Every structure is written in structure tokens, then in C-alpha cells.
Amino acid sequence: MATLSIPPVITTPRDDAMHLYKAFKGFGCDKAAVINILSHRDATQRALIQQEYRTMYSEDLNKRLVKELSGKLEKAILLWMYDPAGRDAILARKALSADAVDLRAATEVICSRTPSQIVHFKQLYHSMNGIYLEHDIELHASGDHKKLLLAYVSTMRYEGPEVDRASVDHDAKALYKAGEKKLGTDEKTFIRIFSERSRAHLAAVSSAYHSMYSRKLKKAVKSETSGLFEFALLTILQCAENPAIYFAKELHKAMKGLGTNDTTLIRIIVTRTEIDMQYIKAEYQKKYKKSLNDAVHSETSGDYRTFLLSLLGPGH
């Protein structure tokens, strides 16, 4: 299935602002034009378009988009207008708001991000809301899930590829002792290792665990923990091993069965487009023998479908 028309010849942010203004004028909004411009601009270009639009028309572009669009398309485009860190701050805040707490979404956003991404979006979270991310986690999460999230957002983990073999084996043994070896589970050990170790280290722990005990660490997490605590641990572990597989699975879950979880679909496609979407598409194809583009095409419709497919890019 071919996606949207080819993006126009390279234009300046000023041209884009003018074309958007034109698309809003008159009776009804030219949504195709809005989608075609915005879906093919990166975060820097989108920020410049917003500046130009404000300068030229003394109006906030996002506020205008709210007036012109509605429903799922409005939700997706407004989220896309931010840069990745601003977007994460907005998503986390929304998921941790008293009127619509969605702890699963908050957990995905927090536990799938790198330490430097977390630092950046935590700063924006505070400057946008006048409140610290930790405060909202404290307020809405509970138990071991809360302890893990708080530790995860406040620990600076190493981001490089090197691992220390001895310490990897030590952690694999500690996790076995804390879980499958004993009656009950020592959650503290899981929280400590999962929140303090780098992605490369955790991935190495996972394969060491497998070779030592002929069991997958992921299976151990599933049998030893439950609920949101389990989901957070699995998110951390799977993103340490391969974030693209994690997001391919989450997208598949959002689209399988009756109805589609559009909130998840929008969140993942919009947040990963500028990060690792090509890898996610490849993993999706490999795992489900169907292209992500085809799956999204069959689960969505209208301008909303057009927008998501233009973010995904060509199907092959």
C-alpha cells in the first residue's frame, strides 16, 4: 500500500507557515495539506515553523490546530508538534493526572527511555507543570511499582557498551537467589539491579542468567512478579535487549482483537518516528509476517490513517 504523496520540494519554514495559514482559511480546513507539510518535517523544522507562524500571524500554531482539527487526528498531530523530550513530558503528565491516571502508559514512557532522555524530559516536566515528576509518581503509583519508577528516574545509569563480566555474573546469581531459588520474591534486589544497571549490562545479565540456569530472565520476572511492577521490569529488560522488538509487540497488542487502542498507537508511532521506527517496522514484519504499514492501514481510517502512515514512511 503506497503512502502519502511525495513531500514537496524543499521549502523554508516561512513558506510552510504560509501554506498552513492558507490551509486553515476559507470553509473547512485543508487537512491533506496540513498533514503533507507537518508529517514531513523534523523536530527542528517544526519548531521553526511555529516561530514563523507566530511572527507572521500573531497566533499560536498549536492553538490554531486545536480549532481546525478534531478527534484522533488532532491528538496525533498536536503530540507530533513537540520535540521528543517535550512530548515525553506531556505524555507522562497526562498519564499521571488525577482525572485520567494511566500508569501503564506512564511506565512505558519512563522505563523505555535512556538515562539522558529521562534527564531531559524531567527538566521539561518541571518547567511545564511547576511540579516534579517524582512527586506525581509518589502520588499515583504504589508499592514495588512506585519504588522501581522512583529509582529508575533518579539514577544516572551508564550509557556505553562496556560491561564487567564478573559483575554481570554476580547480578545473574543475585536475581536467581532473589526469585526462582527462594520461596517468595526479594523485590528489593530486582529493583536495585533493574534501576542501577546500564542497558548493555542488563542484556548481558539476561544471557548469563539463561546460560547459568537454562531459564530466561524474562520468564523469571513473569513468574516472580505481577501487575504494573512486572510490566515495568519487563519494559526495562526488553528495552535493554532490543527496544524495537518491545515496541513492535506493544503496537501489535494495541491493534489485535476487537477494536484498536488508539491512544497507544498514537503514542508509540509519534514518539518513535524520529528515533527507531525503521527498526520497529523490520521487527514487526519479522515477528508477525505482516508489515506495520498494512496493520495500521487496516486498523485506522481517513485523515488519521493518512497521518500515521506518512509518519511511518514507505511500506517497503
Side-chain angles (χ1 to χ4, degrees), residues 15-313:
D15 296 334
D16 286 339
M18 283 162 69
H19 289 135
L20 285 168
Y21 185 72
K22 233 161 83 185
F24 300 144
K25 275 177 73 99
F27 187 67
C29 167
D30 180 355
K31 294 191 188 79
V34 173
I35 291 168
N36 201 31
I37 293 167
L38 295 177
S39 66
H40 296 110
R41 303 294 180 268
D42 65 26
T44 310
Q45 292 167 323
R46 295 193 304 276
L48 291 170
I49 293 168
Q50 290 182 69
Q51 281 173 19
E52 287 289 355
Y53 193 91
R54 187 188 292 277
T55 308
M56 291 161 78
Y57 306 110
S58 312
E59 179 182 39
D60 183 301
L61 177 56
N62 285 3
K63 283 189 179 147
R64 186 63 194 251
L65 288 166
V66 170
K67 277 187 206 158
E68 300 291 341
L69 308 170
S70 62
K72 293 177 280 203
L73 176 68
E74 176 195 338
K75 215 165 132 187
I77 287 189
L78 282 175
L79 195 55
W80 176 243
M81 292 307 289
Y82 291 90
D83 68 331
R87 199 182 288 141
D88 283 349
I90 282 168
L91 285 166
R93 175 63 171 168
K94 206 169 168 196
L96 295 169
S97 291
D99 54 342
V101 178
D102 181 350
L103 289 173
R104 196 182 160 94
T107 302
E108 177 208 289
V109 170
I110 291 166
C111 296
S112 66
R113 302 306 192 250
T114 64
S116 39
Q117 287 169 337
I118 291 173
V119 166
H120 196 173
F121 95 70
K122 262 173 65 177
Q123 289 166 346
L124 288 176
Y125 194 98
H126 184 253
S127 62
M128 286 164 140
N129 307 304
I131 204 161
Y132 290 102
L133 174 63
E134 290 86 339
H135 172 274
D136 281 340
I137 291 171
E138 190 69 58
L139 205 60
H140 298 293
S142 61
D144 293 317
H145 176 239
K146 172 165 89 176
K147 287 177 196 159
L148 176 58
L149 290 187
L150 288 172
Y152 203 73
V153 300
S154 58
T155 310
M156 264 320 283
R157 289 168 294 281
Y158 171 63
E159 291 191 48
E162 295 84 8
V163 294
D164 172 55
R165 237 9 298 164
S167 137
V168 164
D169 291 348
H170 183 269
D171 282 349
K173 285 174 190 157
L175 288 169
Y176 183 68
K177 242 165 81 180
E180 297 191 295
K181 195 182 176 187
K182 64 180 292 198
L183 206 61
T185 309
D186 165 15
E187 289 87 359
K188 272 198 187 109
T189 299
F190 277 86
I191 292 169
R192 180 176 55 81
I193 292 172
F194 276 65
S195 67
E196 291 178 5
R197 307 295 188 255
S198 73
R199 281 186 168 183
H201 180 95
L202 266 186
V205 168
S206 180
S207 71
Y209 193 96
H210 192 242
S211 55
M212 283 174 181
Y213 307 111
S214 307
R215 286 269 293 166
K216 287 191 165 170
L217 180 54
K218 188 177 153 188
K219 288 252 162 54
V221 169
K222 284 182 169 176
S223 62
E224 294 296 321
T225 61
S226 63
L228 287 161
F229 181 49
E230 175 195 346
F231 178 65
L233 290 169
L234 289 174
T235 299
I236 293 167
L237 181 58
Q238 291 176 288
C239 289
E241 295 180 315
N242 188 332
I245 292 180
Y246 170 79
F247 284 110
K249 284 181 184 167
E250 289 299 306
L251 283 167
H252 187 252
K253 269 184 228 164
M255 293 186 280
K256 78 171 193 212
L258 219 54
T260 301
N261 182 339
D262 289 290
T263 308
T264 300
L265 200 59
I266 291 169
R267 183 178 66 249
I268 296 176
I269 292 177
V270 171
T271 59
R272 304 315 287 185
T273 288
E274 293 175 288
I275 296 173
D276 53 3
M277 187 48 78
Q278 295 316 311
Y279 296 105
I280 294 170
K281 283 164 70 172
E283 294 295 351
Y284 194 95
Q285 176 75 49
K286 206 157 91 186
K287 195 163 173 54
Y288 303 109
K289 309 288 175 262
K290 178 183 191 175
S291 80
L292 179 57
N293 290 55
D294 286 348
V296 169
H297 186 272
S298 59
E299 293 295 324
T300 56
S301 62
D303 296 312
Y304 168 56
R305 170 202 278 169
T306 306
F307 180 66
L308 291 186
L309 289 176
S310 34
L311 290 188
L312 288 179

